[in-house]
Amino acid sequence: MTTPRAGTGTTTKMADRTEVRLAGEGGQGMILAGIILAEAAIHDGRNAVQTQSYGPEARGGASKAEVVISSGEIDHPEVLEADVVITLSQAAFQKFSGSFGPDGRLIAADKEESEKASGSIKPGGWLIVDEEKVDSSAAPKNVRLIRLPITKMAVETTGKGITANTVALGVLVGLTDVVSREAIEKAVTARAPKGTEDMNRKALQAGFDAAERVKAKK
Amino acid sequence: MAVKLMQGNEAIAKGAVAAGCRFYAGYPITPSTEVAEVLSRELPKVGGKFIQMEDEIASMAAIIGARVGGLKSMTATSGPGFSLMQENIGYAAMTEVPCVIVNVQRLGPSTGQPTAASQGDVMQARWGTHGDHPIIVLSPISVRHSFDLTIKAFDFSEKYRTPVILLTDEIIGHMREPVELPDFKTVKIFEHSVTEKPADYKAYRNGPGDVPPMAAFGTGYRYHITGLFHDEVGFPTQRLDEIDPWLERVNTKLTNHMDEIALYEEDYEDGAKVALLSYGCSARTARHAMKLARAQGQKVDLLSLFTIWPFPEKQVEALGDKVDRIVVPEMNRGQLALEVERIVGRKKVRRVGLANGEMVTPQMVLEKMGG
């Protein structure tokens, strides 16, 4: 038999398997965002598995959450070839956007090489970055690159940079529909600390609105 | 209970409460800490005790003492802590005190990489303490399975008076999946009942049966506990006519009951000549690879082991008789694969070992399956 190879379309992925990676600096709340996204998938009546990877630091470093969504069983729990990657920091971009090898060398330009990167993105997949935090000039050329000032939008909307993860969820769901808007709103509200539900709803809406503006431009 | 997104480590803590664990002693360590966090909240609600000890040596001693006093007990740790626990795990095996030790494996040796996943403690879980001794090691493959196997761990530890290691890993421990837990009241585990009068009770009698019932201290039953070889009431002995029956009973009390202790899942196809054999997080990858291969028309078998010690020799031998090749993915440089090789021969086994903190991928498994 011919051995299927990773990085050539979806051969080592199952049909009905959506893979999302959310990455940022430790403390930006991207692992929590991953948990919320998985909970939203469950609200939609689908299956989800969330895994995470982080360094020994409580703050800083680069951390990521991965969410695999399917209507059926999910076996291998980690992302094989991401449908969507969102990064809020340069360190996270370097580590998890599939643009760089483990030695930090830029490999996105070389297609063969970029398929070997652990963080590879599906051709035509989404790469969403916080444009003020990430120099995305090295992004792979075969993905849909979306640049938005996510953290700045959070500060402008709620006065608090810590709601950037909620804005990020709004952008992600608004653009990609990996879960329904109703489900993500329900999941965000349920996880919001008491008294911050409205603030988080506004942050989520700001993300939806930004996604609509991106779509309108295309 | 409703469907809830839950972490593997949280499911272990819930499983412990459901199984009747009422004493936890431990020292926090990544990536096991959530087990302690959840139990520090949950145990007091059911009248249990949670103690953060000064280290893992003391933690292990405390859970042995708690069980001798009558409370089902558990600790949780990872690599460096598991190494420190070995001496007292041997003490629990020698004194036949039931207890459950959770090891959420991380990359080692030594401090290694605290947040990176591994399955590198397979052999340590079996042989980490000195001397011949029995031990049960269970390895879950999902969040719900972490709950279920924790209950099994308590059940087996009581029934066979042995320490049981729940050998999970950073992937399964930190992974979140939707689960619906059963009503804890429906959970039943083995309970000792002592029928002898206190004067006739022998905590270490060598028959009838291979597991004498265990009486708790303070209930009128008197016996001695020591890490030395001991007679039937627990006092040190050097008499071979007392040591030999003990050795024979204790070193066969698990292997005599493998029909119950061997937990596994077979997914076999008629005519398959290649099989995948795995456990823990890598069993998820193996199942993924199996589905891909089958989708391409290749026949392949999958044996997922949930009990890894005592090694389920019968099941692996039968698989070896059926297929030409067994691929063993695991997050180490080939540990359980050694056991598979011992049973089916080296030529039939292809190892897929990765010991750098990254999961084995389905593609790596497919490449080893070959055509």
Side-chain angles (χ1 to χ4, degrees), chain B residues 75-336:
Chain B
T75 188
T77 189
S78 187
F82 193 54
S83 293
L84 287 174
M85 288 178 181
Q86 293 304 325
E87 181 183 358
N88 278 331
I89 290 173
Y91 188 82
M94 181 57 136
T95 56
E96 297 182 77
V97 176
C99 53
V100 174
I101 302 104
V102 178
N103 176 5
V104 188
Q105 295 167 95
R106 72 188 216 186
L107 194 58
S110 190
T111 316
Q113 233 181 87
T115 57
S118 164
Q119 293 179 295
D121 306 346
V122 168
M123 285 295 172
Q124 187 189 21
R126 177 65 190 92
W127 297 114
T129 197
H130 53 284
D132 282 312
H133 61 281
I135 199 151
I136 295 176
V137 181
L138 307 177
S139 189
I141 63 164
S142 72
V143 173
R144 173 59 201 259
H145 202 217
S146 299
F147 176 86
D148 293 338
L149 279 196
T150 301
I151 292 167
K152 272 286 175 201
F154 276 96
D155 189 46
F156 287 163
S157 76
E158 289 294 324
K159 194 166 185 181
Y160 298 107
R161 289 188 59 178
T162 176
V164 176
I165 315 287
L166 187 75
L167 191 67
T168 184
D169 51 68
E170 191 276 339
I171 301 288
I172 303 293
H174 278 165
M175 184 166 77
R176 290 180 178 83
E177 290 184 301
V179 289
E180 190 173 5
L181 298 183
D183 183 347
F184 289 5
K185 290 192 194 79
T186 64
V187 174
K188 293 272 174 285
I189 78 160
F190 181 87
E191 299 286 344
H192 284 273
S193 74
V194 184
T195 50
E196 298 99 313
K197 289 191 204 103
D200 301 330
Y201 177 66
K202 289 177 175 169
Y204 299 101
R205 68 167 161 72
N206 294 312
D210 46 16
V211 186
M214 182 169 171
F217 272 22
T219 58
Y221 292 86
R222 296 169 61 146
Y223 57 101
H224 190 254
I225 298 183
T226 174
L228 291 164
F229 277 97
H230 42 269
D231 62 19
E232 290 190 314
V233 287
F235 286 105
T237 179
Q238 295 184 55
R239 283 173 48 181
L240 284 181
D241 63 335
E242 290 177 330
I243 291 171
D244 282 339
W246 184 90
L247 277 171
E248 181 58 21
R249 175 177 68 76
V250 165
N251 282 300
T252 58
K253 71 178 178 180
L254 301 182
T255 46
N256 283 344
H257 300 279
M258 285 305 282
D259 284 349
E260 187 193 33
I261 294 170
L263 305 174
Y264 58 93
E265 193 176 270
E266 294 171 338
D267 190 335
Y268 292 175
E269 288 189 309
D270 280 344
K273 289 293 159 206
V274 179
L276 307 176
L277 185 158
S278 198
Y279 59 99
C281 65
S282 297
R284 303 279 292 240
T285 310
R287 175 165 290 277
H288 191 113
M290 176 200 77
K291 287 180 180 172
L292 289 167
R294 285 184 181 175
Q296 299 204 347
Q298 188 181 8
K299 287 184 186 292
V300 55
D301 291 343
L302 174 67
L303 175 58
S304 306
L305 297 181
F306 309 146
T307 299
I308 59 176
W309 299 111
F311 192 64
E313 297 179 356
K314 197 172 96 182
Q315 289 73 20
V316 174
E317 189 167 21
L319 182 61
D321 289 342
K322 181 176 183 292
V323 301
D324 299 331
R325 184 180 303 152
I326 301 180
V327 179
V328 185
E330 52 186 333
M331 287 183 72
N332 57 51
R333 296 182 66 89
Q335 294 197 16
L336 205 71

Side-chain angles (χ1 to χ4, degrees), chain A residues 107-190:
Chain A
I107 58 173
D110 182 339
K111 190 171 178 299
E112 283 286 305
E113 281 286 301
S114 75
E115 283 170 0
K116 287 183 196 154
S118 62
S120 76
I121 304 175
K122 187 170 110 180
W126 298 88
L127 174 57
I128 306 165
V129 302
D130 187 322
E131 67 178 13
E132 296 198 333
K133 305 244 174 192
V134 177
D135 170 8
S136 58
S137 56
K141 300 288 177 266
N142 59 351
V143 301
R144 281 181 275 188
L145 175 68
I146 306 294
R147 296 163 42 81
L148 287 166
I150 292 170
T151 308
K152 190 175 156 202
M153 283 157 51
V155 173
E156 284 171 0
T157 308
T158 66
K160 290 182 194 298
I162 54 164
T163 59
N165 59 346
T166 310
V167 177
L169 281 172
V171 169
L172 191 157
V173 173
L175 283 171
T176 67
D177 296 315
V178 290
V179 297
S180 71
R181 292 190 184 200
E182 298 71 39
I184 195 72
E185 186 173 339
K186 191 174 163 189
V188 163
T189 319

Side-chain angles (χ1 to χ4, degrees), chain A residues 1-2 4-6 11-12 14 17 35 39 42 47-50 52 54 73-78 80, chain B residues 5 7 30 115 171 174-178 284-285 287-288 291-292 296 298 359-360 362-363 366-367 371:
Chain A
M1 87 179 245
T2 48
R5 300 204 53 90
T11 44
T12 66
M14 299 294 167
R17 181 178 165 108
I35 294 169
E39 286 174 337
I42 297 167
N47 190 13
V49 175
Q50 181 264 332
Q52 58 204 7
Y54 56 95
E73 279 184 328
I74 298 166
D75 295 309
H76 187 78
E78 294 192 341
L80 295 166
Chain B
L5 192 72
Q7 204 174 41
T30 301
T115 57
I171 301 288
H174 278 165
M175 184 166 77
R176 290 180 178 83
E177 290 184 301
R284 303 279 292 240
T285 310
R287 175 165 290 277
H288 191 113
K291 287 180 180 172
L292 289 167
Q296 299 204 347
Q298 188 181 8
M359 281 192 87
V360 174
Q363 184 193 351
L366 289 168
E367 280 170 2

